[in-house]
Amino acid sequence: MGAASITLPWEKKIKRVRGVEQTNKITFEQYVRLALSHAKFSRNEDTSWTVEVPVLPGCITWGITRREAVEMAKDAIEAWIITALRFGDEIPVIDGCYLQYAIDEITLRAILREAEISPVEWEKL
């Protein structure tokens, strides 16, 4: 049995402000696994492995063995996300899935800016 989906009060407000489409919100761990599923592994001439995660621009790493490259890719993906969150950068949608935190914090601010709604107006909705 899956977990129940809860719509938070601010999500209802967003839907009133603009027609926000239904999306799949996933946890940090799920997002990391999903990004890792898009990783491209290539073997180098020295037998080490390079890993690029094209769904996260600039996310690239390497490992001596393929197993190490997988672990390094997980670390690189986690660091990419944390850095993006820290600096308020956009977290990409992957296969229609949003990182839960990105929806809760960053996207809310972007929606308010886009709709030109002040925090005072937001509280009145």
Side-chain angles (χ1 to χ4, degrees):
M1 185 193 276
S5 177
I6 299 171
T7 302
L8 300 172
W10 63 263
E11 290 177 306
K12 292 177 185 173
K13 288 182 182 181
I14 290 173
K15 290 177 183 176
R16 286 199 308 255
V17 170
R18 72 174 199 189
V20 176
E21 64 208 46
Q22 290 295 335
T23 59
N24 296 317
K25 299 175 194 174
I26 58 176
T27 66
F28 184 85
E29 292 80 15
Q30 291 169 325
Y31 191 89
V32 169
R33 283 195 309 268
L34 183 58
L36 188 60
S37 74
H38 288 268
K40 307 291 184 206
F41 291 80
S42 57
R43 192 154 192 170
N44 301 319
E45 289 181 14
D46 66 356
T47 71
S48 65
W49 291 83
T50 297
V51 186
E52 182 179 359
V53 185
V55 294
L56 303 176
C59 188
I60 188 167
T61 190
W62 71 280
I64 295 173
T65 65
R66 185 172 172 94
R67 178 176 284 172
E68 182 183 47
V70 170
E71 289 304 313
M72 296 299 288
K74 287 179 190 174
D75 289 346
I77 291 166
E78 290 172 355
W80 193 101
I81 296 166
I82 290 166
T83 301
L85 290 171
R86 167 67 179 88
F87 290 100
D89 295 336
E90 183 179 336
I91 307 295
V93 176
I94 303 175
D95 298 338
C97 296
Y98 288 85
L99 178 61
Q100 178 72 38
Y101 181 83
I103 291 291
D104 292 347
E105 302 293 331
I106 296 169
T107 302
L108 176 58
R109 283 183 266 149
I111 290 170
L112 292 178
R113 269 196 314 273
E114 180 184 307
E116 298 178 356
I117 295 176
S118 72
V120 173
E121 293 172 316
W122 174 253
E123 291 303 319
K124 292 178 184 176
L125 290 176

